[in-house]
Amino acid sequence: MKSLQKIDIVARDLSDEVQKSTYLSSKAKTEKRMAILQKDFPEANRLREIAGEIKQHTLEHLDQYLAQAEASLKANGAHVHFANDAESANATILKIMQENGAKRMVKSKSMVTEEIHLLPYLEKHGMEVVETDLGEFIIQIDDDHPSHIVTPIIHKNRKDIAKSFEREGLGDYNDDPETITRRARAFLRQKYLDADVGLTGGNFVSAESGRVSLVTNEGNARFSVAANRIHIAVVGIEKIIPKDRDFSLFLNLIARSATGQQLTVYNQFINGPRSPGQPHGPEQMHVVFLDNRRTEVLASECREILRCIRCGACLNVCPIFRQAGGHAYRSVYPGPVGAVLSPLLAGNRFPELADLPKASSLCGACNEVCPVNIPIPDLLLRLRDKAKREKATDAMKGTPSLGLWATLCSQPAMWKTALSMGHTMNYIPTELIPHPSARAWQHNRKLPKFQGGEFRKWFRNRPPSSK
Amino acid sequence: MSNDRDSIFSEIKKALDPLPERTPYPQWDDSMTVCHAHPEFNSAKELFAHKLAEASGRYFDSVQILAQFLREEGNTFGYCDPELASLFEGLDGISFETEYDLAKVDTYQFGITTGSTGIAESGTIMLKDGETSARLGALAPWVHVAVIRQEDIVPTIGDAISRFGDDPSVIFCTGPSKTADVEGILIQGVHGPGVQVALVV
């Protein structure tokens, strides 16, 4: 079908198995989130409004807070780096490794390193990098891409994983999830101990103390840091929050929104190398603050998207994500948040992803579940407008031209006449209308029976109000 | 890189300067984030025990009963913070070392270290780097025992945050290490402890 958009094609061709596992897992997460928020907080909605205001406040004072975070980290003996783009961030990390004679890195899960393609870059420069999050480890051995921000292998089932483990020499075929987990544990143990560098992302950074918070469940981020002499954290500049006190709000919200937990199993707060007398852990801590077009987004009319704390709740609730899966978004960030963020982060490649904001029915569920209250449907509309203004042709696929309709709607006299003739529509076989836009609509839709045209008459003749 | 720093700050300024007004920091009360969805308890210690169990953690307030639990599960050799050793010496069938040997990272079945704070509202154990004798001792063994003084159990997450001080690496542990990456099925004991114990003394 010529009129289908890329995301429709992926959704159509998705295997039943992948579609089913994406759908079931997303649905379960959405329900768990709802249940725990309602149970735990009488004012759950107010909490996410406050969280949204704190993030918006921070973004609108980012120059102050970023400088404060930098100063706090330096005061605690951490090294702070800034990177304009992926190239610069990757080069900075490589340089830290080279200057310290480091060859091996263990990596904990981080979307931002997916964004800058750190892993292939370091491998190209002769470094050994191992993903240690179970899901990301499986992505790495399969040479695949994550399809969800929180649950990267939502598109795989245990049989796929068992086959991959067998192929990689991690034991005979066994698709018991517990066995799979134990085998990964045993294999990755040695990797942590052999590595020189532990790399993490950062969920929040407190400007007040410089503390980088890591929100995890498996313990791999702890191990990556504890067993190594160098810790590098790569963090987007939008991750700052003003004070340590704010952690209590955000940690409560991110755990419930992402996985339906009260708190994730591990929350780390790091702002420097290991303490005196501690035998394990890094002698150096490096924080790399990444821009990579975030300042462009900050200058745009979609800056609210920078509030995002990557919980994945909007993915889980989105009817499009549930049907199409994460890979359909052709970018690092899938789902509603990705439909906004990915085209913006693409810079002058915007037209290539300008169709993503169309992949929404604007039902508003993403906004309702968002723990930082991002008005995602509004942002999608702003981006649709941008696509139109920039004549991004891919984004227009499947959309009939509405010029005639617009003229009709803007001329009251014509509109009235058209309405009075509305009933004739019931007798015209619309699939025969030779207009291409009418045909495009008709392909997937049925025009309901016309029942209107009576409002004006009713309004004129209505009984007088009782007042 | 320093050029990058300058350009990032100048881009931020360029983005923010045209804003007609800036969102203020909202007023909010610390009590708003406190979870009250639990039965009433007489003390923070009892709530801590309740929430720890909810998070699949294990609560003990007797060294003898803890030792019995370790024996039953076959976890009889481990690492112990030298400052806590006196609590565990002479226990039947339990042996440990007080110097962490990296070569035994997979031989230690349990690790005993100091828990700096317990958080009642979430059943969380807070570890401070300066009070943890060996980071791997609290992380690598199958069983981690955090020894927490009763008076160090605080009601809320906010209370614990206000105890961070200048420690460079604070960790909240809420139950055993877990994953649901494979088909959403919950498995405990991924890279960290499969059994998380708090011993309150």
Side-chain angles (χ1 to χ4, degrees):
Chain A
M1 263 304 288
K2 222 171 107 194
S3 70
L4 280 187
Q5 296 203 345
K6 285 180 187 161
I7 196 165
D8 298 322
I9 296 168
V10 179
R12 185 193 63 194
D13 297 344
L14 207 62
S15 78
D16 284 352
E17 269 191 3
V18 173
Q19 206 276 318
K20 195 174 151 202
S21 67
T22 306
Y23 177 80
L24 290 177
S25 162
S26 309
K27 189 164 168 285
K29 282 220 177 65
T30 299
E31 284 158 9
K32 241 174 120 181
R33 173 197 162 277
M34 269 300 271
I36 191 168
L37 274 168
Q38 282 177 349
K39 177 170 78 77
D40 289 357
F41 296 121
E43 295 177 279
N45 201 46
R46 186 66 199 124
L47 281 184
R48 57 180 208 103
E49 286 170 5
I50 292 169
E53 286 170 39
I54 294 178
K55 283 291 267 191
Q56 192 69 20
H57 162 81
T58 318
L59 291 168
E60 291 176 9
H61 299 80
L62 191 58
D63 42 356
Q64 297 165 32
Y65 285 124
L66 186 58
Q68 195 191 351
E70 178 193 19
S72 310
L73 280 161
K74 282 184 171 168
N76 282 295
H79 303 270
V80 180
H81 312 261
F82 289 89
N84 272 332
D85 52 25
E87 177 81 48
S88 169
N90 290 338
T92 302
I93 294 162
L94 180 67
K95 195 162 157 241
I96 297 168
M97 291 186 75
Q98 285 168 340
E99 282 177 356
N100 287 284
K103 283 266 162 229
R104 281 166 295 212
M105 171 188 283
V106 276
K107 209 182 139 291
S108 106
K109 182 171 152 47
S110 144
M111 291 310 290
V112 81
T113 57
E114 296 283 335
E115 185 185 321
I116 61 176
H117 305 291
L118 175 67
L119 203 148
Y121 176 90
L122 289 178
E123 283 178 343
K124 200 178 80 194
H125 288 86
M127 301 296 173
E128 184 195 310
V129 187
V130 183
E131 293 279 2
T132 57
D133 173 85
L134 179 59
E136 294 285 345
F137 174 67
I138 291 162
I139 294 282
Q140 187 183 21
I141 61 177
D142 283 354
D143 200 15
D144 197 351
H145 295 285
S147 67
H148 189 290
I149 300 174
V150 176
T151 38
I153 52 168
I154 193 170
H155 61 291
K156 288 181 194 289
N157 62 34
R158 64 177 94 181
K159 291 188 211 117
D160 302 331
I161 300 162
K163 278 181 222 149
S164 303
F165 271 45
E166 189 184 19
R167 186 192 63 224
E168 297 295 317
L170 291 166
D172 305 335
Y173 180 93
N174 188 322
D175 61 14
D176 167 40
E178 184 149 5
T179 307
I180 289 170
T181 309
R182 295 288 171 267
R183 284 176 176 176
R185 177 185 171 102
F187 178 79
L188 289 168
R189 273 291 151 109
Q190 207 50 46
K191 296 288 176 191
Y192 294 121
L193 298 170
D194 292 345
D196 317 291
V197 176
L199 186 130
T200 68
N203 293 82
F204 306 98
V205 180
S206 157
E208 178 183 42
S209 63
R211 289 187 188 279
V212 177
S213 108
L214 303 174
V215 176
T216 64
N217 275 312
E218 294 186 4
N220 57 317
R222 275 183 77 188
F223 231 125
S224 299
V225 177
N228 285 291
R229 59 195 170 93
I230 301 166
H231 171 207
I232 305 175
V234 192
V235 192
I237 53 170
E238 82 283 20
K239 296 283 176 184
I240 313 268
I241 54 174
K243 302 178 195 134
D244 282 12
R245 170 189 184 234
D246 302 320
F247 282 132
S248 72
L249 179 61
F250 286 103
L251 299 180
N252 270 306
L253 282 171
I254 197 171
R256 287 178 176 83
S257 304
T259 48
Q261 292 166 280
Q262 182 178 354
L263 281 180
T264 55
V265 176
Y266 301 121
N267 286 282
Q268 292 168 261
F269 308 89
I270 311 170
N271 64 358
R274 72 188 186 205
S275 43
Q278 172 58 248
H280 307 141
E283 294 147 15
Q284 293 175 32
M285 179 192 190
H286 296 264
V287 179
V288 182
F289 284 115
L290 175 74
D291 180 348
N292 213 24
R293 299 192 189 283
R294 283 161 174 75
T295 49
E296 271 178 36
V297 181
L298 189 65
S300 79
E301 54 185 358
C302 293
R303 69 179 64 84
E304 292 95 332
I305 200 67
L306 294 176
R307 293 182 202 163
C308 175
I309 60 172
R310 310 281 189 265
C311 69
C314 64
L315 280 62
N316 298 333
V317 81
C318 178
I320 313 289
F321 177 86
R322 286 180 179 183
Q323 293 300 323
H327 289 157
Y329 293 80
R330 317 194 303 282
S331 46
V332 175
Y333 302 105
V337 59
V340 178
L341 197 55
S342 300
L344 288 169
L345 293 181
N348 55 14
R349 285 178 43 245
F350 172 78
E352 291 171 34
L353 296 174
D355 60 302
L356 293 178
K358 301 292 284 287
S360 167
S361 65
L362 301 176
C363 70
C366 47
N367 178 207
E368 261 174 35
V369 299
C370 178
V372 283
N373 198 23
I374 301 173
I376 296 176
D378 293 350
L379 304 185
L380 291 170
L381 286 174
R382 284 173 214 166
L383 286 177
R384 288 181 185 186
D385 182 48
K386 179 176 153 82
K388 182 91 180 164
R389 278 186 278 115
E390 297 185 10
K391 301 191 169 43
T393 44
D394 272 7
M396 303 307 154
K397 271 191 189 155
T399 310
S401 94
L402 293 171
L404 209 78
W405 177 253
T407 316
L408 189 67
C409 293
S410 54
Q411 308 283 336
M414 259 171 87
W415 178 253
K416 260 197 246 177
T417 318
L419 274 187
S420 66
M421 303 193 316
H423 286 284
T424 56
M425 287 298 287
N426 292 344
Y427 306 102
I428 300 175
T430 42
E431 61 275 14
L432 296 181
I433 298 178
H435 194 274
S437 32
R439 268 214 302 272
W441 275 85
Q442 277 305 122
H443 184 75
N444 293 316
R445 302 167 181 83
K446 229 190 173 104
L447 198 65
K449 224 172 172 185
F450 185 85
Q451 296 178 321
E454 301 292 316
F455 178 75
R456 282 188 172 77
K457 206 164 94 191
W458 169 84
F459 192 74
R460 260 196 314 272
N461 303 328
R462 74 194 193 286
S465 109
S466 55
K467 265 202 280 190
Chain B
M1 298 181 186
S2 63
N3 297 348
D4 287 23
R5 184 191 187 281
D6 294 346
S7 74
I8 288 175
F9 276 93
S10 109
E11 289 299 317
I12 293 174
K13 203 170 146 25
K14 250 196 317 198
L16 297 181
D17 276 349
L19 293 184
E21 54 190 27
R22 314 262 173 114
T23 308
Y25 184 88
Q27 293 296 315
W28 60 283
D29 194 83
D30 287 320
S31 64
M32 285 185 78
T33 63
V34 179
C35 168
H36 290 290
H38 53 75
E40 283 299 314
F41 289 98
N42 291 323
S43 66
K45 184 176 122 173
E46 284 170 51
L47 175 58
F48 174 72
H50 170 80
K51 294 299 279 194
L52 183 66
E54 260 190 12
S56 316
R58 303 295 302 246
Y59 175 91
F60 293 95
D61 48 17
S62 144
V63 178
Q64 291 300 335
I65 298 173
L66 170 60
Q68 194 186 329
F69 169 74
L70 291 173
R71 280 192 299 267
E72 279 167 11
E73 304 268 319
N75 297 307
T76 53
F77 173 68
Y79 163 81
C80 181
D81 177 339
E83 291 194 19
L84 298 169
S86 60
L87 273 173
F88 298 91
E89 263 154 13
L91 290 171
D92 202 21
I94 303 280
S95 62
F96 55 82
E97 291 176 355
T98 54
E99 184 121 356
Y100 195 92
D101 182 353
L102 266 181
K104 294 183 185 163
V105 73
D106 284 324
T107 316
Y108 296 129
Q109 296 164 316
F110 63 82
I112 301 171
T113 67
T114 300
S116 305
T117 298
I119 307 174
E121 71 159 312
S122 55
T124 300
I125 295 158
M126 179 168 117
L127 309 176
K128 281 173 120 174
D129 200 42
E131 295 170 17
T132 301
S133 55
R135 284 192 193 191
L136 290 175
L139 176 63
W142 183 250
V143 183
H144 173 232
V145 179
V147 180
I148 303 176
R149 292 183 313 172
Q150 186 172 324
E151 58 268 34
D152 286 327
I153 297 177
V154 298
T156 71
I157 294 168
D159 296 330
I161 289 173
S162 65
R163 301 179 80 170
F164 280 0
D166 57 6
D167 192 278
S169 172
V170 182
I171 305 174
F172 285 177
C173 308
T174 310
S177 141
K178 60 177 78 142
T179 188
D181 273 350
V182 181
E183 292 188 13
I185 297 159
L186 184 72
I187 304 292
Q188 295 185 346
V190 192
H191 304 283
V195 179
Q196 179 66 59
V197 175
L199 174 73
V200 176
V201 293

